[in-house]
Amino acid sequence: AQSVTQLGSHVSVSEGALVLLRCNYSSSVPPYLFWYVQYPNQGLQLLLKYTSAATLVKGINGFEAEFKKSETSFHLTKPSAHMSDAAEYFCAVSDRYGGSQGNLIFGKGTKLSVKP
Amino acid sequence: GAGVSQTPSNKVTEKGKYVELRCDPISGHTALYWYRQSLGQGPEFLIYFQGTGAADDSGLPNDRFFAVRPEGSVSTLKIQRTERGDSAVYLCASSLMDRGRYNEQFFGPGTRLTVL
């Protein structure tokens, strides 16, 4: 069965500092991997996705993530945090069904706070 | 263009009552997903439709939960004899279903259900 573990339910960084949100996954088949962001009282927005091409994936708002099969990880990074990055971030994994996508399995989320 | 819409945005009901939650997917999206997000948790998969049929309902927690999509567009999630533990945000997502390729799921804003 697939699963996702996000280390750290809360992460706090200073504005301008590096953001690192950790995600490890478990999957018996090559997965699709995703990071979503959720701002307060808003829906989920896709930040970036890994679908088997380049292992370093760039997303919106300056975020990127690297797929490391040997470590079963897909950590999210951003070189310099902005106040507007404060939100909750979810890592998710999906099976591939003949190349198509199945339902998403989400981690519990990491709430990012950015201090001025 | 119009995204996924969900109605109502908020629903307060009493324990034991019946509720219906509606999802309008993006026009032309044949795949539709329901997820439930409890407080402090990531979204959890409930059910997935391809067209009119439920392709995977393995996430429905018990037989009080039921969902339909009679014409392959709008879907309704129905909860009978609601319990306080059903309180959560119910998310709907839709996607194309082009076989052999990744199809992004687009999420609606959710319906916040509170069972008193």
Side-chain angles (χ1 to χ4, degrees), chain B residues 1 43 50 67-68 73 86 102 112 116:
Chain B
Q50 269 198 46
V68 295
S73 178
D86 299 335
Y102 164 72
R112 182 176 298 278
L116 301 176

Side-chain angles (χ1 to χ4, degrees), chain A residues 34 38 49 90 100-101 104, chain B residues 35 37 45 99-100 102-103:
Chain A
F34 310 85
Q38 188 174 40
K49 60 185 182 288
F90 294 94
S100 298
Q101 180 186 352
L104 294 163
Chain B
Y35 296 84
Q37 186 174 16
F45 168 73
R99 293 193 181 279
Y102 164 72
N103 297 281

Side-chain angles (χ1 to χ4, degrees), chain B:
Chain B
V4 178
S5 62
Q6 293 185 246
T7 54
S9 56
N10 279 283
K11 176 71 177 178
V12 180
T13 191
E14 293 180 342
K15 181 176 178 295
K17 299 289 188 182
Y18 168 83
V19 296
E20 289 189 352
L21 311 179
R22 176 185 167 112
C23 172
D24 279 87
I26 292 172
S27 178
H29 280 190
T30 53
L32 186 146
Y33 304 79
W34 283 100
Y35 296 84
R36 177 170 72 172
Q37 186 174 16
S38 300
L39 193 62
Q41 302 293 318
E44 294 177 300
F45 168 73
L46 295 177
I47 186 169
Y48 153 54
F49 287 89
Q50 269 198 46
T52 60
D56 182 355
D57 64 357
S58 61
L60 294 178
N62 52 60
D63 61 6
R64 296 186 298 104
F65 288 75
F66 189 71
V68 295
R69 195 185 185 200
E71 297 178 358
S73 178
V74 171
S75 176
T76 305
L77 178 66
K78 308 180 181 195
I79 310 174
Q80 298 177 322
R81 305 183 304 280
T82 52
E83 299 177 356
R84 292 194 180 88
D86 299 335
S87 296
V89 175
Y90 289 82
L91 298 168
C92 177
S94 71
S95 77
L96 295 170
M97 187 45 67
D98 294 335
R99 293 193 181 279
R101 59 166 294 172
Y102 164 72
N103 297 281
E104 181 178 344
Q105 292 184 26
F106 293 86
F107 283 82
T111 293
R112 182 176 298 278
L113 175 66
T114 303
V115 182
L116 301 176

